[in-house]
Amino acid sequence: MLTIREYKKVQSLEEAWELNQKRANRVIGGMMWMRLGDSNFQTAIDLSGLGLDTIEETEDEFRIGCMVTLRQLETHPGFVSYTQNMCKESLRHIVGVQFRNLATVGGSIYGRYGFSDVLTLLIGLDSYVELYKGGIVPLREFAKGKPDNDILVQIIIKKHPVAMYYEAVRITQTDLPVLTCCGVHDKENGTYTISIGARPSRAVIVPDEKQLLKEKLTTNAIEAYAKYAAEVVPTDSNMRGSREYRSHLVEVLSRRALEQLCEEESKAC
Ligand SMILES: Cc1cc2nc3c(=O)[nH]c(=O)nc-3n(C[C@H](O)[C@H](O)[C@H](O)COP(=O)(O)OP(=O)(O)OC[C@H]3O[C@@H](n4cnc5c(N)ncnc54)[C@H](O)[C@@H]3O)c2cc1C
């Protein structure tokens, strides 16, 4: 059971940060994950009065406030169009619409959950987190770190001309995923990025040390990269799947993502 002694709707980020320095206090997002825990908090720090529940789109970037809900992200016309519906594809399996109306992007990213579709999607893009004290940090770096007492203010996504692909494997609809995969083709600099999550650990970018994706994508290069991905992405077993099954999925989903991206760009490939 979750027990909270006091509730504070803060008036500023400074107030939130000061309260959050006490170990017994906790920032609350949508509380959808937190409420499942068996914890005892002194003060719940509510950021909902700080206007951090909007998605701002400019020519160069998206700024997604930490209190933006997953449903807002999933239905934002600009973000849906930018990701070619892949934000919808990645989020639609998360429990249900009512749930996604409450769960926040800030809580999802701050939590750095191993199973996270949200992290797998965003880490593949040119994305950053803005921390109140820690400043702007690439999401790829933030995702590797340990939770601390800072406040995640917003997520910034720099716009590039991209093509995207997203796929998650689930045993049943709305369950946590067995494996997640996001592919991004940055048409500006010609790079391909594959992120894999639910390994079951946190999402990672598959490195391209052999430079297989640098040249024009060929069937052989895709095959070789997918096999290489299965070798280098660490996987493990849990109740949803074995290590071997997950590594097999890494290969299949990486290949499929690259094939789809290549098909999109068929004239260029
Ligand atoms: C039953 C269930 C099924 C789920 N299935 C999936 C799934 O399939 N795929 C998926 O991607 N996700 C899934 N999730 C996770 C969900 O999408 C959210 O990521 C999760 O609920 C956290 O978001 P929240 O707003 O509820 O955060 P909360 O539970 O309120 O907070 C989570 C953590 O983040 C901290 N926090 C929140 N906001 C901030 C902030 N601004 N600054 C600093 N710290 C902060 C809190 O202190 C807490 O430690 C599932 C969750 C549940 C409960």
Side-chain angles (χ1 to χ4, degrees):
M1 191 175 75
L2 174 64
T3 310
I4 297 174
R5 289 171 198 276
E6 285 173 36
Y7 163 83
K8 181 77 185 157
K9 187 169 178 176
V10 292
Q11 302 300 312
S12 68
L13 282 167
E14 181 64 24
E15 185 186 4
W17 184 83
E18 276 170 18
L19 283 169
N20 203 34
Q21 300 317 294
K22 285 205 180 125
R23 282 186 67 180
N25 299 346
R26 279 291 184 291
V27 175
I28 53 173
M31 279 190 70
M32 303 307 281
W33 185 258
M34 190 189 282
R35 76 190 160 82
L36 301 181
D38 209 6
S39 323
N40 203 335
F41 300 148
Q42 179 59 36
T43 305
I45 308 162
D46 181 5
L47 308 177
S48 67
L50 302 181
L52 295 168
D53 58 350
T54 59
I55 302 177
E56 270 177 57
E57 181 179 4
T58 67
E59 253 185 43
D60 305 324
E61 60 191 26
F62 291 95
R63 289 182 167 257
I64 303 164
C66 63
M67 293 300 284
V68 164
T69 65
L70 299 184
R71 183 68 179 160
Q72 276 175 273
L73 191 63
E74 179 186 355
T75 56
H76 185 271
F79 198 61
V80 169
S81 159
Y82 180 69
T83 61
Q84 296 118 49
N85 282 318
M86 290 306 135
C87 67
K88 279 191 175 175
E89 179 53 34
S90 66
L91 299 175
R92 72 186 174 98
H93 301 281
I94 304 177
V95 187
V97 170
Q98 292 94 332
F99 180 95
R100 300 197 296 279
N101 271 328
L102 292 168
T104 62
V105 178
S108 301
I109 294 300
Y110 179 84
R112 301 165 175 98
Y113 304 109
F115 53 75
S116 183
D117 291 278
V118 189
L119 185 59
T120 311
L121 174 83
L122 297 184
I123 205 173
L125 295 167
D126 186 11
S127 45
Y128 302 80
V129 292
E130 182 181 330
L131 304 167
Y132 179 58
K133 292 288 176 183
I136 296 177
V137 179
L139 179 57
R140 291 172 194 189
E141 294 307 315
F142 180 80
K144 292 182 200 157
K146 288 188 184 149
D148 60 14
N149 295 343
D150 212 336
I151 307 287
L152 195 162
V153 181
Q154 62 181 345
I155 288 137
I156 301 163
I157 296 168
K158 303 274 183 204
K159 282 186 182 174
H160 296 259
V162 290
M164 290 188 74
Y165 179 78
Y166 188 91
E167 187 172 355
V169 171
R170 284 175 157 79
I171 296 170
T172 52
Q173 280 280 11
T174 77
D175 190 11
L176 297 178
V178 181
L179 200 89
T180 54
C181 173
C182 181
V184 178
H185 176 203
D186 186 329
K187 299 174 190 171
E188 202 168 57
N189 53 29
T191 55
Y192 291 83
T193 305
I194 300 288
S195 50
I196 301 281
R199 309 174 286 116
S201 315
R202 293 173 193 177
V204 288
I205 301 291
V206 183
D208 185 19
E209 280 158 12
K210 295 183 180 172
Q211 309 271 300
L212 293 165
L213 305 181
K214 287 283 180 255
E215 302 292 320
K216 201 172 173 185
L217 270 194
T218 59
T219 311
N220 285 349
I222 292 175
E223 273 298 322
Y225 183 80
K227 285 200 185 324
Y228 167 76
E231 279 166 26
V232 296
V233 172
T235 54
D236 214 336
S237 306
N238 68 3
M239 64 188 288
R240 289 186 176 77
S242 66
R243 185 158 59 83
E244 292 75 14
Y245 178 50
R246 282 197 164 93
S247 292
H248 174 68
L249 289 179
V250 171
E251 181 177 339
V252 173
L253 297 194
S254 304
R255 183 193 306 121
R256 204 174 285 168
L258 289 168
E259 282 170 354
Q260 290 291 329
L261 292 173
C262 199
E263 207 175 297
E264 286 281 309
E265 291 297 301
S266 52
K267 289 150 226 141
C269 290

